[in-house]
Amino acid sequence: MSNHKDATENESRPFSMPFTAGVAETKTPDLKIPSCDCVICGKLDPCTIVIIGASGDLTARKLLPALFSLKLEGGLPDTFNIIGCARTKLSDDEFRNRVKSPATPPGTSKDAEWQSFAANLFYRVLDYTDQSSFESLKQFLLQLDKTRGTQGNRIFYLAIPPHLYQTVAQLIGRVGLAAEGRNGGGWSRIVVEKPFGRDLRTAIELDQRLHEYFKEHQIFRIDHYLAKETVQNALMLRFANSIFEPIWNRRYIEYVAVTAAESLGIEKRAGYYEEAGVLRDMFQNHMMQLLSLIAMEPPSRFEAEQVRDEKAKVFRSLRPFPVNDLGHSIVLGQYGPGYVDGAVVPGYRGEPDVDPKSLTPTFASIKVFIDNWRWQGVPFYLTSGKRLAAKLTEMVIQFREVPHSMFRRLFVDQISANRLTLGIHPEEKISLVFQAKNPGATVRLRPVTMDFNYSQDYSGPVLDAYQKVLIDCVTGDHMLFWREDAVELCWSFLTPILEGCETCHNQAEMLRFYAAGSWGPPSFYDALVRK
Ligand code: NDP
């Protein structure tokens, strides 16, 4: 798995981006792991998946394609129903036709498989605020349990705008669909999409409403980032190898940089984004989860509660943000017009339905510290933005320089320090940069890269993030989902920053503009790395 490549090209870039190294070229045999072992272990309970808001974008683009792929890979129970619900009037067949093309892109020739899958799809018109509408849904579910043997096991997936979460969860509960094991009922689970609240107060309120009818073990707060293979792999790398953990601390690590850059703009989601901005959209959830995987202590067992306990400890140890000195801890930006893939694209304020004077940040880079024994004094730089030069997600562990160089008489240049990169996108891989002797008679060093590409030596099924979270909802595994305490701890950390940024008198001055297609506000990292 080794591949050596000159790494100097990457060194001048901020923190991590864009760290693109070569891919391993070694060929070893496919490990031939049986595909059934890669998707599920054991038999799944029969169940009904009720998607509320099924006429929308998430259902067509993500959920139905993921469910269809799961069916093809043996990742759904033998007996299942999928019921789409929304206000739009559709028949079963109209719903099936509507979701077919995103799930079966041209060239995939899966028509027979689709027909067999589509026989399990149904559609019911639902008024999100009317209890009698939920009563009718309940009768339909009971009927399906009888005729199709789904045993009262149900997942309610809320694919609706966030302001409807509370109302819909309450109506599901009021008509008795949240109760488990009574009146012929099996298990009942509710899946809540992001965003989970817009600050600490609203997140607590949402939790309280959900808990009126659902117990914590029934609630699945999604963060699909966590279901990406390489994100999960961070824990395997750290805790299934003995060579990393001894150096995974303040003594050897200079800083950690987590980057989630997107080249896309806000697409057609101006309404949502104007309200959310990058801090709510990316930091409260995905960035915090990535941070916790790098920073957490080893749990005693790889079980959901133990892992989530350790993550919560990280969130509890976050140093309160210096809200009176935001300038050295956060950079906010907004994209202006620019070029992406050779085409001119508008700035954020020129996007449809965006206020032409909007102060919503589309970019943020923040410096965070974790006040515990392991991480004291080590900065964690978290950076995310839209309309950046490329889509790139990675976690970089930058090690310290060697404490003493015996080569100092030979080299003018400093020896660059080791860097471990966990790449999530575009390539799922692990790269380690280290120093090696430059070939030749003169004594010189050069930084080289050793890569492991995640798909190397594996040809079995690869689940996308939504497939993985859907399987986990069916099996009832909470490992990759947010727990109530963690959500609230992260909001406690972030809410003062949001308040500082949104209500301060110099809100406009805090916002730095960057050209679409660039890597963010020019030299944004200078402000953060300054001691
Ligand atoms: P949509 O905006 O497409 O809405 C889904 C459905 O909800 C619509 O088809 C519509 O159905 C109904 N709806 C929309 N607006 C209203 C309204 N104001 N009042 C009542 N009903 C309304 O949402 P998405 O499918 O994009 O997303 C669903 C959820 O998933 C959201 O919470 C979003 O934040 C989250 N999410 C979405 C992602 C995505 O990629 N789309 C990614 C991550 C999270 P009808 O009119 O037929 O009732």
Side-chain angles (χ1 to χ4, degrees):
M1 73 149 220
S2 65
N3 176 44
H4 301 265
K5 183 174 182 291
D6 197 323
T8 46
E9 69 201 59
N10 303 307
E11 284 178 298
S12 60
R13 281 148 179 174
F15 308 142
S16 60
M17 41 160 98
F19 196 83
T20 49
V23 176
E25 283 158 9
T26 48
K27 281 264 175 298
T28 48
D30 180 1
L31 300 178
K32 301 269 186 274
I33 301 168
S35 58
C36 54
D37 289 352
C38 302
V39 181
I40 49 158
C41 304
K43 217 167 155 46
L44 297 173
D45 292 345
C47 69
T48 299
I49 301 170
V50 183
I51 302 175
I52 300 184
S55 56
D57 174 70
L58 183 73
T59 306
R61 243 173 9 93
K62 301 278 187 194
L63 301 183
L64 259 301
L67 286 163
F68 180 47
S69 302
L70 276 182
K71 173 68 183 147
L72 297 179
E73 281 153 11
L76 283 183
D78 296 340
T79 307
F80 69 95
N81 310 306
I82 297 169
I83 306 178
C85 300
R87 298 170 308 179
T88 304
K89 290 189 173 50
L90 296 173
S91 66
D92 289 342
D93 279 337
E94 282 168 333
F95 177 59
R96 289 168 186 153
N97 289 336
R98 194 177 168 127
V99 291
K100 181 180 174 189
S101 46
T104 54
T108 50
S109 67
K110 296 270 187 312
D111 219 48
E113 290 91 339
W114 173 263
Q115 294 310 332
S116 140
F117 171 75
N120 304 287
L121 293 186
F122 304 91
Y123 186 84
R124 281 295 170 276
V125 174
L126 185 79
D127 179 338
Y128 308 124
T129 55
D130 175 16
Q131 187 162 334
S132 65
S133 195
F134 282 78
E135 291 284 1
S136 312
L137 174 64
K138 179 180 175 181
Q139 292 315 315
F140 182 60
L141 290 173
L142 291 173
Q143 182 196 327
L144 283 182
D145 286 340
K146 270 196 202 136
T147 54
R148 295 175 52 92
T150 29
Q151 300 179 7
N153 297 321
R154 287 156 200 149
I155 294 171
F156 296 94
Y157 197 119
L158 304 191
I160 36 174
H163 72 271
L164 292 168
Y165 291 166
Q166 302 190 12
T167 313
V168 167
Q170 282 180 312
L171 287 177
I172 293 171
R174 260 184 225 155
V175 301
L177 286 170
E180 295 191 294
R182 274 192 271 138
N183 303 326
W187 44 255
S188 175
R189 297 173 185 151
I190 188 161
V191 184
V192 187
E193 263 291 350
K194 77 164 197 186
F196 197 90
R198 55 171 285 110
D199 52 23
L200 179 60
R201 184 185 60 75
T202 49
I204 292 175
E205 197 179 298
L206 177 54
D207 269 326
Q208 286 170 344
R209 295 287 93 76
L210 289 173
H211 282 296
E212 278 178 26
Y213 292 100
F214 291 92
K215 300 205 167 61
E216 184 62 22
H217 77 268
Q218 297 177 272
I219 303 172
F220 290 73
R221 300 175 190 82
I222 281 212
D223 192 331
H224 70 274
Y225 250 64
L226 279 180
K228 292 172 192 272
E229 289 282 4
T230 6
V231 172
Q232 294 176 62
N233 188 46
L235 290 190
M236 313 301 158
L237 180 86
R238 287 189 57 196
F239 302 134
N241 295 294
S242 58
I243 60 170
F244 296 111
E245 210 38 34
I247 53 169
W248 208 265
N249 56 51
R250 64 189 299 274
R251 188 153 177 221
Y252 296 97
I253 294 178
E254 178 81 29
Y255 67 80
V256 175
V258 180
T259 302
E262 293 180 68
S263 56
L264 289 176
I266 53 161
E267 305 292 279
K268 292 180 182 141
R269 305 184 74 209
Y272 159 74
Y273 205 86
E274 274 282 85
E275 285 290 306
V278 69
L279 290 171
R280 290 189 182 84
D281 186 46
M282 292 298 292
F283 283 72
Q284 190 277 332
N285 35 57
H286 311 319
M287 303 304 277
M288 285 301 182
Q289 283 289 349
L290 298 180
L291 166 101
S292 71
L293 291 172
I294 299 291
M296 68 192 260
E297 295 299 319
S300 57
R301 286 196 302 275
F302 190 59
E303 288 174 7
E305 285 321 303
Q306 272 85 347
V307 171
R308 298 200 300 174
D309 283 346
E310 294 304 333
K311 287 183 180 178
K313 284 185 205 163
V314 173
F315 300 139
R316 216 168 271 128
S317 310
L318 288 169
R319 185 183 300 173
F321 215 68
V323 281
N324 296 326
D325 182 27
L326 288 175
H328 293 127
S329 301
I330 185 166
V331 174
L332 295 175
Q334 190 188 80
Y335 63 86
Y339 290 88
V340 171
D341 295 333
V344 179
V345 294
Y348 178 71
R349 291 177 177 182
E351 299 275 17
D353 301 324
V354 169
D355 177 353
K357 292 185 180 156
S358 173
L359 295 177
T360 301
T362 59
F363 172 97
S365 187
I366 68 177
K367 182 167 63 177
V368 171
F369 289 94
I370 298 169
D371 280 337
N372 64 16
W373 192 281
R374 185 190 285 262
W375 294 113
Q376 191 54 241
V378 177
F380 283 69
Y381 298 104
L382 312 181
T383 304
S384 180
K386 288 204 174 282
R387 277 281 187 241
L388 295 177
K391 182 166 165 58
L392 175 98
T393 314
E394 65 183 14
M395 302 184 270
V396 167
I397 319 300
Q398 179 67 47
F399 290 93
R400 292 192 187 282
E401 286 170 5
V402 289
H404 164 75
S405 172
M406 65 177 191
F407 305 108
R408 65 185 181 281
R409 293 216 179 126
L410 296 172
F411 311 126
V412 186
D413 300 338
Q414 258 185 321
I415 299 174
S416 55
N418 301 120
R419 173 183 280 195
L420 180 71
T421 303
L422 310 187
I424 298 164
H425 191 91
E427 287 173 291
E428 298 198 301
K429 65 179 192 176
I430 301 171
S431 304
L432 178 67
V433 177
F434 57 96
Q435 299 293 324
K437 182 184 176 300
N438 201 40
T442 53
V443 181
R444 291 199 54 199
L445 282 179
R446 62 170 176 159
V448 292
T449 306
M450 188 158 70
D451 283 341
F452 164 66
N453 193 302
Y454 202 72
S455 56
Q456 180 184 319
D457 310 333
Y458 174 73
S459 60
V462 177
L463 299 188
D464 87 359
Y466 270 96
Q467 287 177 272
K468 176 74 181 125
V469 289
L470 284 162
I471 283 201
D472 289 352
C473 294
V474 174
T475 58
D477 183 350
H478 276 93
M479 176 80 78
L480 302 181
F481 296 85
W482 280 89
R483 201 168 64 186
E484 180 181 14
D485 55 348
V487 174
E488 293 178 9
L489 284 163
C490 285
W491 273 126
S492 307
F493 173 73
L494 211 66
T495 300
I497 309 179
L498 285 165
E499 284 169 356
C501 298
E502 289 176 350
T503 56
C504 62
H505 63 283
N506 60 345
Q507 194 187 356
E509 287 155 41
M510 283 187 67
L511 203 59
R512 293 171 56 182
F513 291 89
Y514 60 97
S518 69
W519 280 113
S523 309
F524 68 86
Y525 44 91
D526 288 347
L528 300 182
V529 295
R530 204 165 352 123
K531 297 276 186 273

